[in-house]
Amino acid sequence: MKTAGPSEAKARRGLELTPFRGLRYDPDRVGSLAAVTSPPYDVVVRPDGLHHLQSADPYNIVRLILPEAETPEARNAQAAETLNRWRAEGVLTTDPEPGLYVYEQRDGDGLLQRGIIGALRVSDPDEQLVLPHEDVMPHIVADRAALMLATSANLEPLLLTYPGDGSATATADLIERTAKTSPVLATTTEDGFHHRLWSLTDPEDLATVRTDLAGQQALIADGHHRWATYRRLRAQHPSPSPWDHGLVLLVDTARYPLRVRAIHRLLHGLPVTDALAALDGLFRVRRIDTALPEAMEALAGAAGAGNAFLLAGDGAFHLVDRPDPDLLARTVPADRPEVWRTLDAAVLHSTLLDQVWHIPEDSPAHIAYIHDTAATVEKAERDGGTAVLMHPVREEVVRDLARQGVTMPRKSTSFGPKPASGLVLRAFDG
């Protein structure tokens, strides 16, 4: 009989979600729980958004996840001092028992998402347990690592998904039963999302989750840089240590499908007329004189038959589709799977940006990546640039490529809703 090697034995461990003593705001010490929450650190990208959150409440979580000071060292020291002070003052208190946390998000449009927050064992890439689908930028990983080291804490969970597909029904049923009980936390944030949190401490419940997750494989939906940070810090600290685990939210998308949205491009300094002129003979271009919602429907229809984009910025919409096959053969890398080669984002970056429009994809002076569709169009019309509106990629396509070890082109898609930061933290001395 063949004896399993170390890597095979490690791979059989599966996903391991460990209970922890959550660090949470005392609702009696803050203006409101909603006022101390924030979107994840990388969504709060504009100074006006940061300052808005800071003014919402003196204890808003952005003072920890995005501290402001003259140098990185000063920022991290400030975050650590702030965290220690809030804990000493009782603004943040540690739950009495270790547990996992059922987390629910609901909006007014019928979206409902539930998952489990816990401390996940940080696994190696060769275990194929946590699959990334995007590359990371080293300077951001270094920044997040320095902040985590300074605070000795995971300040916000990243978002992972797994397709239960009937194999994790016990956990799904547990989540449903828990959601019928009184939560330890409930609040509604200014974006209209209702948030509820429950603590799971019963040993049988914890064992149910542990057994179910042992056979699952997770996809990073949001938080690639934080996962890379977890791996970096675990490698720097001898095991066993608190760095062996990282704070995550795990969502079963067979039960609760995520909302998948596109990330659009704003091309600075490229007028729509020039962008369209360069496409002559390479793509089919049709002008669409309608409102944005109808134009996006036209894009969705065209995307079902092949690569399609919607250009805007001159007061109209221009549907760009049916690329010349010879052009794609010359410009899209041939060493990638066929599914990757046919992605809109792959064609956009390899063909349009690189070869047709000659725009560097990593230069903020030339290109911006924006989640909001209307905002992208408004900025293009105001600045005289070109908005390139995209159709979202299906989650199963992202997962299939991730399983093959193939990363998506930069900013290909956005999964959500993302967990609010500030509802539960993980301090290493808790």
Side-chain angles (χ1 to χ4, degrees):
M1 180 181 296
K2 179 184 177 182
T3 302
S7 61
E8 294 174 291
K10 184 190 297 183
R12 284 200 297 269
R13 290 178 63 181
L15 297 176
E16 298 175 19
L17 200 62
T18 301
F20 69 103
R21 295 176 65 204
L23 185 63
R24 297 190 292 112
Y25 282 98
D26 182 343
D28 295 329
R29 297 297 308 275
V30 297
S32 74
L33 290 174
V36 297
T37 64
S38 164
Y41 81 96
D42 55 343
V43 178
V44 188
V45 294
R46 294 173 58 88
D48 53 351
L50 178 61
H51 298 152
H52 170 72
L53 291 165
Q54 290 174 337
S55 63
D57 191 283
Y59 299 114
N60 191 281
I61 191 69
V62 294
R63 287 182 165 80
L64 299 182
I65 62 175
L66 289 172
E68 288 192 300
E70 292 297 322
T71 66
E73 294 77 14
R75 288 196 294 271
N76 296 330
Q78 177 179 292
E81 189 278 330
T82 300
L83 177 60
N84 292 334
R85 175 163 43 84
W86 288 357
R87 296 182 70 182
E89 294 173 353
V91 174
L92 288 167
T93 61
T94 304
D95 283 341
E97 295 182 78
L100 301 176
Y101 295 84
V102 172
Y103 176 45
E104 175 189 278
Q105 293 165 278
R106 185 192 299 266
D107 70 3
D109 297 327
L111 184 144
L112 173 64
Q113 178 173 290
R114 291 176 179 146
I116 295 185
I117 296 175
L120 184 71
R121 179 179 69 86
V122 179
S123 53
D124 292 322
D126 61 6
E127 295 183 65
Q128 289 285 292
L129 292 177
V130 176
L131 305 175
H133 69 268
E134 289 182 359
D135 291 327
V136 297
M137 290 176 273
H139 72 279
I140 297 180
V141 175
D143 175 76
R144 290 294 101 184
L147 178 63
M148 288 187 200
L149 279 170
T151 57
S152 292
N154 297 149
L155 300 173
E156 48 185 347
L158 53 86
L159 175 61
L160 305 181
T161 72
Y162 65 97
D165 296 328
S167 61
T169 54
T171 295
D173 292 343
L174 172 61
I175 290 174
E176 298 299 316
R177 292 197 308 272
T178 302
K180 296 177 181 177
T181 65
S182 297
V184 297
L185 177 158
T187 190
T188 301
T189 45
E190 65 178 6
D191 58 5
F193 269 90
H194 308 286
H195 307 262
R196 295 198 296 169
L197 192 76
W198 296 262
S199 177
L200 295 177
T201 58
D202 182 270
E204 291 188 9
D205 291 341
L206 301 178
T208 293
V209 176
R210 182 171 60 250
T211 300
D212 271 1
L213 291 182
Q216 299 299 326
Q217 182 185 59
L219 173 73
I220 303 176
D222 184 66
H224 284 80
H225 288 91
R226 279 167 285 169
W227 181 255
T229 300
Y230 291 168
R231 290 189 50 241
R232 173 173 175 162
L233 293 174
R234 188 208 61 177
Q236 294 175 356
H237 293 82
S239 185
S241 81
W243 303 100
D244 291 341
H245 297 79
L247 190 63
V248 305
L249 165 65
L250 271 165
V251 174
D252 178 358
T253 49
R255 183 68 65 99
Y256 298 106
L258 267 65
R259 181 179 286 165
V260 185
R261 290 176 168 164
I263 302 176
H264 309 296
R265 276 69 168 162
L266 174 61
L267 309 182
H268 306 298
L270 179 66
V272 176
T273 52
D274 293 351
L276 294 173
L279 299 179
D280 186 36
L282 302 177
F283 285 76
R284 182 176 71 168
V285 178
R286 289 174 288 163
R287 180 184 173 105
I288 302 179
D289 291 305
T290 105
L292 178 58
E294 290 76 18
M296 292 303 291
E297 289 179 6
L299 173 62
N307 299 120
F309 312 92
L310 196 65
L311 271 56
D314 61 351
F317 297 101
H318 308 271
L319 184 61
V320 175
D321 64 355
R322 297 188 183 180
D324 174 38
D326 291 337
L327 172 69
L328 299 185
R330 293 195 309 269
T331 56
V332 179
D335 60 346
R336 303 294 180 90
E338 180 65 19
V339 172
W340 188 96
R341 299 183 76 248
T342 58
L343 289 171
D344 287 341
V347 172
L348 172 63
H349 285 262
S350 300
T351 303
L352 288 172
L353 294 181
D354 188 30
Q355 298 295 321
V356 177
W357 293 328
H358 306 292
I359 293 176
E361 65 175 22
D362 56 355
S363 170
H366 293 87
I367 186 170
Y369 299 87
I370 305 176
H371 292 72
D372 186 88
T373 308
T376 311
V377 175
E378 290 168 5
K379 290 177 184 296
E381 292 180 345
R382 184 178 65 241
D383 302 338
T386 295
V388 182
L389 306 182
M390 310 281 288
H391 187 68
V393 182
R394 300 190 315 277
E395 180 188 352
E396 55 265 31
V397 172
V398 178
R399 188 179 296 277
D400 178 59
L401 286 170
R403 283 173 173 157
Q404 298 179 55
V406 179
T407 56
M408 301 281 288
R410 178 176 296 180
K411 299 294 184 182
S412 296
T413 192
S414 173
F415 289 93
K418 307 177 193 307
S421 299
L423 297 181
V424 61
L425 292 65
R426 174 179 174 247
F428 292 170
D429 61 353

XYZ file of all heavy atoms in Angstrom, residues 4 22 44 46 62 75 89 92 100 116 137 151 247 250 254 260 320 334 348 362 405 415:
164
model
N 0.884 7.929 2.003
C 0.681 9.315 1.572
C 1.855 10.174 1.986
O 2.381 10.042 3.095
C -0.605 9.878 2.183
N -14.552 36.941 19.720
C -14.698 38.130 18.916
C -14.551 39.411 19.721
O -14.996 39.507 20.868
N -12.773 51.960 0.395
C -12.725 53.365 0.819
C -11.472 53.982 0.190
O -10.463 54.174 0.847
C -12.669 53.488 2.350
C -12.822 54.945 2.773
C -13.744 52.643 3.001
N -11.304 56.963 -1.740
C -11.260 58.408 -1.920
C -11.172 59.113 -0.570
O -11.804 58.697 0.398
C -12.493 58.899 -2.679
C -12.562 58.409 -4.117
C -13.898 58.794 -4.743
N -14.110 60.238 -4.713
C -13.705 61.068 -5.662
N -13.040 60.599 -6.703
N -13.951 62.365 -5.586
N -12.578 52.934 10.496
C -11.557 53.402 9.549
C -10.336 53.935 10.272
O -9.238 53.965 9.695
C -12.096 54.474 8.570
C -13.148 53.899 7.650
C -12.600 55.689 9.300
N 1.464 55.740 10.974
C 0.081 55.290 10.798
C -0.175 53.998 11.566
O -1.188 53.853 12.254
C -0.216 55.089 9.310
C -0.326 56.382 8.525
C -0.994 56.163 7.180
N -0.209 55.332 6.287
C 0.714 55.797 5.441
N 0.967 57.089 5.381
N 1.369 54.972 4.638
N -10.817 51.534 27.279
C -11.989 52.341 27.630
C -13.291 51.548 27.571
O -14.350 52.072 27.951
C -12.090 53.532 26.664
C -10.940 54.538 26.799
C -11.001 55.601 25.715
O -11.852 55.479 24.795
O -10.196 56.556 25.773
N -14.423 48.748 22.742
C -14.368 47.409 22.163
C -14.204 46.404 23.296
O -13.327 46.565 24.146
C -13.199 47.281 21.185
C -13.333 48.010 19.846
C -11.986 48.058 19.128
C -14.376 47.331 18.953
N -17.894 30.751 16.625
C -18.018 31.190 15.247
C -19.201 32.137 15.184
O -20.039 32.163 16.091
C -18.229 29.991 14.312
C -17.138 28.920 14.312
C -17.538 27.748 13.414
C -15.798 29.496 13.867
N -20.610 32.266 7.582
C -20.009 32.046 8.901
C -18.647 32.721 8.960
O -17.802 32.533 8.076
C -19.869 30.542 9.217
C -21.253 29.900 9.314
C -19.111 30.329 10.512
C -21.220 28.448 9.744
N -0.474 42.944 -5.452
C 0.623 43.896 -5.571
C 1.442 43.856 -4.278
O 0.896 44.070 -3.191
C 0.073 45.291 -5.848
C -0.519 45.423 -7.237
S -1.284 47.027 -7.576
C -2.947 46.741 -6.969
N -0.895 45.992 15.191
C -2.111 45.878 16.013
C -2.286 44.489 16.613
O -3.112 44.317 17.512
C -3.348 46.205 15.175
O -3.399 45.322 14.034
C -3.324 47.654 14.694
N -8.853 35.834 9.778
C -10.293 36.091 9.879
C -10.947 36.088 8.497
O -10.508 36.805 7.596
C -10.527 37.442 10.565
C -11.963 37.780 10.971
C -12.488 36.799 12.008
C -12.035 39.213 11.498
N -17.098 32.927 5.319
C -17.317 31.856 4.346
C -18.798 31.808 3.980
O -19.651 31.690 4.857
C -16.881 30.516 4.926
C -15.421 30.098 4.713
C -15.064 28.959 5.647
C -15.194 29.670 3.267
N -24.009 27.972 -3.167
C -25.095 27.118 -3.642
C -26.400 27.517 -2.962
O -27.477 27.425 -3.552
C -24.782 25.650 -3.368
N -22.577 39.307 -8.575
C -21.339 39.487 -9.323
C -21.511 40.686 -10.258
O -22.418 40.702 -11.087
C -20.971 38.237 -10.137
C -19.617 38.415 -10.806
C -20.971 37.002 -9.243
N -19.822 47.998 -28.912
C -18.664 47.488 -29.651
C -18.634 45.978 -29.497
O -18.511 45.463 -28.382
C -17.365 48.119 -29.109
C -16.149 47.511 -29.794
C -17.388 49.631 -29.282
N -1.637 33.185 -26.423
C -2.078 31.849 -26.825
C -1.763 30.788 -25.776
O -2.191 29.640 -25.917
C -1.413 31.478 -28.146
N -10.071 43.082 -23.759
C -9.919 44.512 -23.503
C -8.456 44.872 -23.256
O -7.915 45.802 -23.860
C -10.770 44.929 -22.307
C -10.567 46.358 -21.805
C -10.971 47.371 -22.870
C -11.349 46.606 -20.522
N -1.636 49.793 -15.945
C -1.246 50.013 -14.555
C -0.890 51.472 -14.272
O -0.242 51.775 -13.267
C -0.067 49.114 -14.176
C 1.133 49.307 -15.102
O 0.998 50.062 -16.084
O 2.183 48.700 -14.831
N -5.414 27.115 -11.638
C -4.264 27.924 -11.264
C -4.053 29.113 -12.177
O -2.956 29.675 -12.230
N -17.213 40.773 -6.532
C -18.190 39.964 -5.813
C -18.751 40.753 -4.635
O -18.042 41.520 -3.990
C -17.541 38.685 -5.289
C -17.192 37.682 -6.354
C -15.935 37.673 -6.937
C -18.108 36.742 -6.771
C -15.599 36.749 -7.910
C -17.794 35.811 -7.744
C -16.526 35.815 -8.319
